[in-house]
Amino acid sequence: MRKLPSARRAARPYARAVIGAAGAVALCAALTAPAVAAPTGTQTQSATAAAKPAAQQKTRPAAQAEVRLPDGLAKTPPMGFNNWNSTHCRAEFDEDMVKGIADIFVERGLKDAGYEYVNLDDCWALPERDADGKLVPDPVRFPDGIKAVADYVHSKGLKIGIYTSAGTKTCNSAGFPGALGHEESDAMQFAEWGIDYLKYDNCNNQGVDAIQRYTKMRDALQAASETTGRPIVYSICEWGQNKPWEWAADVGHLWRTTGDISDNWSSMLGIMKQNLPLAEYAGPGRWNDPDMLEVGNGGMTDTEYRTHFSMWSIMAAPLLIGSDLRTADEATFEILENTDVIAVDQDPLGKQGAVVTSEGGRWVVSKEMADGSRAVALFNESNAPQRISTTAEAVGLPAAEGYRLRDLWQHADYNTGGEISASVPAHGTVLYRVWPGDGAGSYPPAAEFGVDSAPYVEAGGEAEVTTTFRNTGITPANNVGVALDAPAGWQVETGSPTTAKKVAPGGELTTTWQLTAPADAATGRQEFPLTADYAAPSGQAVSLTSAGTAYVVASPPAGTTYASDWEWLDAGNGWGPVERDTSVGEQQAGDGKPLTIGGETFARGLGVHAASDIGFYAGRECETFDARVGLDDESGNNGSVSFEVWADGAKVADSGVLTSDEPAQPLSADIGDAQTVRLVVTDGGDGVDYDHADWADARFTC
Ligand code: GLA
């Protein structure tokens, strides 16, 4: 099945495969997701993201900035739960789940942390309305009806949300009823059930103007609220198709800015990049919605989920938990329950954080807080640890002799003279909150500790890395000791000092380490923990932890060999995994079809989906890369992409934008004596919908 862009989806009913009448199990997740993703994490690419520095962002006229619904709802971004990301339409979405989540909200302290709404997504209704045109809850999922579940959720001091579409049917192919033409009746039914929140989707909209459709439901909800006395938060879900940030501030309380998120890095990153530039449009009662959280669903690492949660918070996004908390692990709860981070999201000033800089995959995003402090995210988009740095001045803080710097994941306070920096692991985010003055000197000095490089080492071989401990505070760091922990089987030696009696403000302790990989080391990425211990002048002890990375690599095969026979260092892909010798197909590994460009099929090559980025180790032993590239015929008559070859951070070949009507194009690159080669596919400037792309006949000559 092909990935349909949201524009197409809106115009015609879905073709999702479903099993069973009541169970309505969605088989084809592909079709549930309007495609989203922007270029992935190469250091070289990311600077092209659409974000402008905070200072350059144009500001709306003051009057427009005040536009919002007069009901005073959603003064801070809504927080709660929605079942969609964990269940889609599967049978476990039922009354027990909704009640179970409400129970956990109370028992685990999530309610106290601010989570309030327990929201039902698609598939709660029967496909047919009753004889009076009323919606009928699915009796298998909700045997006691929606009102009973709402009463239960309310009895816990929580609120409940529901879903329908601003179309004739919802997005699921089983064809559940939409509210187009039934706005007053459906809104009234929701209000009478006790519904506090409506997510209003975009499928099957019959081409009716979006502003008209969404305004009609706004008025219906207002009327129903007045009759029943129940205020209803109104969440517009038209996937950003009609730029709702420009017109929806007095229509709804929040609006989706993008297509659907899915539980992988590329999807989350792409959505983040689409939502970041919209900062100026958000405010109390009027929020950009980059879709619900995937934290805990298993498709990303905990580091990546912390980035997801940090960035959604600094973007003042709604925090709707999308994992089944009944089976969630402790790491998931630890992320979702971080009240320091939640406070950034829920700050009453209601500003969305703005991008300060984004060079080389090093993102600095700053959010003005009601108390005059700033939340500052240092986000590393790239695949290796990087030092990310900014200043109090650059994030808009007034001049001061010292600043209090709180690390919101470590829950620890430091002093700084204005430098805000950290060594950030690959795909990680360090989230700080910074206050000017505030008795800064009484906290221990801030410090950064990290490695200068992510070396490539063959099994049994040696690599050298340098660590730097830097005092970025305004008081000395005493009794400094640094350590690099060897992974099992590795040897670590150092000839340079690992301790210093005192590191003055601005001073450094650099240490060079020799790493020897075991003779039987498996190829792949290897992380090694870094620790720096020091003491403040007051004697207070500080322990900073970080991580370095090494890649265990094998010498590349000699002669001319197919890239699909090579191992890769890492691979990012916008839809499912990269496939060897087939197209990308759908989201599962191995579900591609023969690589086909313009009717020509290829036995060998790589099938990808924009934005895609695959890294190879060439070990300075290769000369050329050759391929025939193009959009796979799987894309239909849609989409556009560009193919790029990067050698050690320099672009050495670029196909230009290719569309689906073009035959396979030859692409050759001289890769000189590059240590690494990256094969990158970008979206051709028109978003990633349909962008199944083939590196056909891809070969290295070494
Ligand atoms: C659309 C929405 C999703 C979800 C599904 C339900 O794709 O964007 O968030 O509600 O429909 O079918």
Side-chain angles (χ1 to χ4, degrees):
M1 249 177 278
R2 222 168 270 142
K3 195 170 185 201
L4 301 181
S6 25
R8 275 285 196 93
R9 295 180 351 148
R12 65 178 201 202
Y14 265 20
R16 279 185 212 163
V18 290
I19 302 175
V25 180
L27 283 184
C28 181
L31 288 179
T32 69
V36 279
T40 46
T42 55
Q43 298 184 20
T44 37
Q45 263 185 294
S46 54
T48 62
K52 282 187 210 156
Q56 289 172 27
Q57 288 190 354
K58 62 177 165 33
T59 0
R60 272 172 296 116
Q64 204 189 331
E66 294 311 313
V67 173
R68 73 187 62 145
L69 287 171
D71 53 25
L73 292 176
K75 285 204 181 83
T76 60
M79 289 178 65
F81 168 87
N82 174 299
N83 65 285
W84 182 253
N85 285 350
S86 73
T87 67
H88 283 202
C89 284
R90 288 190 302 275
E92 68 254 35
F93 167 47
D94 64 3
E95 177 175 320
D96 285 347
M97 178 183 212
V98 177
K99 289 178 166 176
I101 298 293
D103 292 344
I104 292 171
F105 269 16
V106 175
E107 285 155 18
R108 284 280 324 209
L110 288 154
K111 179 185 168 195
D112 293 339
Y115 294 96
E116 185 179 21
Y117 293 94
V118 183
N119 293 351
L120 282 51
D121 210 281
D122 202 355
C123 308
W124 60 267
L126 283 185
E128 298 305 327
R129 292 170 180 271
D130 71 11
D132 301 325
K134 293 282 180 190
L135 297 160
V136 187
D138 181 333
V140 175
R141 295 182 196 267
F142 294 98
D144 301 320
I146 301 296
K147 170 119 182 39
V149 183
D151 289 347
Y152 184 87
V153 172
H154 289 151
S155 76
K156 300 272 162 178
L158 297 165
K159 293 181 173 154
I160 186 165
I162 209 161
Y163 161 101
T164 187
S165 181
T168 46
K169 291 192 182 303
T170 68
C171 293
N172 187 270
S173 63
F176 302 113
L180 191 65
H182 297 262
E183 291 85 353
E184 282 87 8
S185 166
D186 289 357
M188 198 56 205
Q189 208 176 346
F190 296 148
E192 281 169 352
W193 280 341
I195 294 297
D196 306 288
Y197 183 115
L198 174 68
K199 170 176 170 183
Y200 202 36
D201 212 338
N202 196 28
C203 287
N204 305 301
N205 61 43
Q206 311 303 320
V208 181
D209 174 70
I211 301 183
Q212 189 185 321
R213 285 180 293 122
Y214 286 95
T215 307
K216 187 104 199 274
M217 181 54 91
R218 172 199 67 185
D219 295 341
L221 289 172
Q222 271 172 11
S225 289
E226 274 159 33
T227 312
T228 59
R230 177 162 296 280
I232 301 175
V233 168
Y234 182 28
S235 157
I236 293 173
C237 177
E238 59 75 86
W239 318 312
Q241 281 191 343
N242 306 280
K243 300 194 175 168
W245 45 91
E246 288 180 354
W247 51 264
D250 60 357
V251 179
H253 303 99
L254 61 156
W255 48 83
R256 281 273 295 277
T257 55
T258 72
D260 287 8
I261 194 168
S262 51
D263 185 22
N264 64 73
W265 172 252
S266 177
S267 165
M268 191 271 291
L269 180 64
I271 285 184
M272 181 199 300
K273 287 182 179 180
Q274 283 179 273
N275 197 63
L276 276 167
L278 302 175
E280 63 174 303
Y281 298 100
R286 40 178 301 147
W287 307 106
N288 290 314
D289 174 5
D291 208 357
M292 303 169 292
L293 298 170
E294 292 284 5
V295 177
N297 282 332
M300 290 182 246
T301 65
D302 287 341
T303 298
E304 292 169 343
Y305 282 139
R306 276 190 291 274
T307 286
H308 181 16
F309 198 66
S310 299
M311 297 307 289
W312 260 234
S313 293
I314 207 159
M315 293 192 298
L319 297 180
L320 293 173
I321 296 169
S323 57
D324 188 345
L325 295 176
R326 296 172 302 172
T327 52
D329 61 10
E330 275 312 304
T332 299
F333 280 108
E334 240 173 70
I335 294 170
L336 297 171
E337 289 172 343
N338 186 331
T339 48
D340 269 341
V341 179
I342 291 171
V344 172
D345 183 78
Q346 293 291 301
D347 185 72
L349 191 62
K351 293 261 186 182
Q352 175 173 330
V355 176
V356 181
T357 49
S358 63
E359 276 90 52
R362 297 181 300 273
W363 293 79
V364 177
V365 180
S366 162
K367 180 183 201 275
E368 185 184 352
M369 303 285 280
D371 66 356
S373 65
R374 294 288 185 283
V376 181
L378 307 178
F379 158 52
N380 180 2
E381 176 189 350
S382 77
N383 294 318
Q386 293 209 77
R387 174 174 186 266
I388 306 181
S389 175
T390 186
T391 62
E393 191 188 356
V395 301
L397 284 165
E401 262 174 38
Y403 299 81
R404 170 185 167 203
L405 181 79
R406 182 169 177 79
D407 183 319
L408 304 186
W409 286 104
Q410 295 185 349
H411 309 292
D413 291 294
Y414 305 96
N415 70 56
T416 166
E419 185 171 344
I420 301 169
S421 66
S423 167
V424 187
H427 294 189
T429 298
V430 169
L431 190 60
Y432 289 129
R433 186 159 169 184
V434 192
W435 294 262
D438 214 4
S442 64
Y443 301 107
E448 55 177 51
F449 181 49
V451 281
D452 67 333
S453 61
Y456 301 98
V457 52
E458 296 187 15
E462 285 184 10
E464 192 176 275
V465 293
T466 301
T467 59
T468 303
F469 171 89
R470 218 165 85 76
N471 180 347
T472 57
I474 53 171
T475 54
N478 297 327
N479 303 325
V480 179
V482 298
L484 183 156
D485 281 342
W490 288 62
Q491 277 177 12
V492 178
E493 280 169 29
T494 176
S496 51
T498 57
T499 59
K501 198 128 196 57
K502 176 173 168 175
V503 176
E508 292 181 354
L509 167 64
T510 53
T511 311
T512 304
W513 311 79
Q514 274 79 40
L515 310 178
T516 310
D520 60 353
T523 54
R525 200 184 140 90
Q526 181 72 58
E527 293 239 316
F528 41 90
L530 304 171
T531 318
D533 294 303
Y534 61 98
S538 65
Q540 191 182 334
V542 178
S543 188
L544 283 186
T545 54
S546 178
T549 298
Y551 291 95
V552 180
V553 291
S555 197
T560 298
T561 53
Y562 286 107
S564 51
D565 288 335
W566 282 42
E567 289 184 40
W568 46 68
L569 295 166
D570 47 55
N573 206 41
W575 187 251
V578 174
E579 298 285 1
R580 296 175 192 271
D581 303 325
T582 71
S583 69
V584 79
E586 291 297 341
Q587 282 202 305
Q588 301 307 312
D591 62 2
K593 302 193 198 87
L595 295 157
T596 312
I597 306 172
E600 188 180 354
T601 57
F602 300 85
R604 308 302 306 269
L606 298 166
V608 306
H609 185 110
S612 173
D613 174 7
I614 317 169
F616 296 90
Y617 178 69
R620 307 193 193 289
E621 291 173 36
C622 301
E623 285 133 40
T624 52
F625 169 83
D626 298 278
R628 297 194 46 219
V629 298
L631 274 170
D632 191 278
D633 288 3
E634 210 164 55
S635 312
N637 212 9
N638 305 285
S640 73
V641 289
S642 285
F643 294 79
E644 300 171 357
V645 183
W646 293 74
D648 282 349
K651 194 176 359 168
V652 290
D654 187 339
S655 69
V657 176
L658 300 180
T659 51
S660 60
D661 46 11
E662 289 171 271
Q665 305 290 313
L667 189 69
S668 296
D670 180 352
I671 50 181
D673 66 346
Q675 196 170 32
T676 60
V677 175
R678 305 199 74 88
L679 302 183
V680 172
V681 174
T682 67
D683 68 5
D686 63 350
V688 300
D689 285 348
Y690 293 114
D691 287 350
H692 291 213
D694 297 338
W695 294 95
D697 259 352
R699 281 154 293 145
F700 289 102
T701 302
C702 305

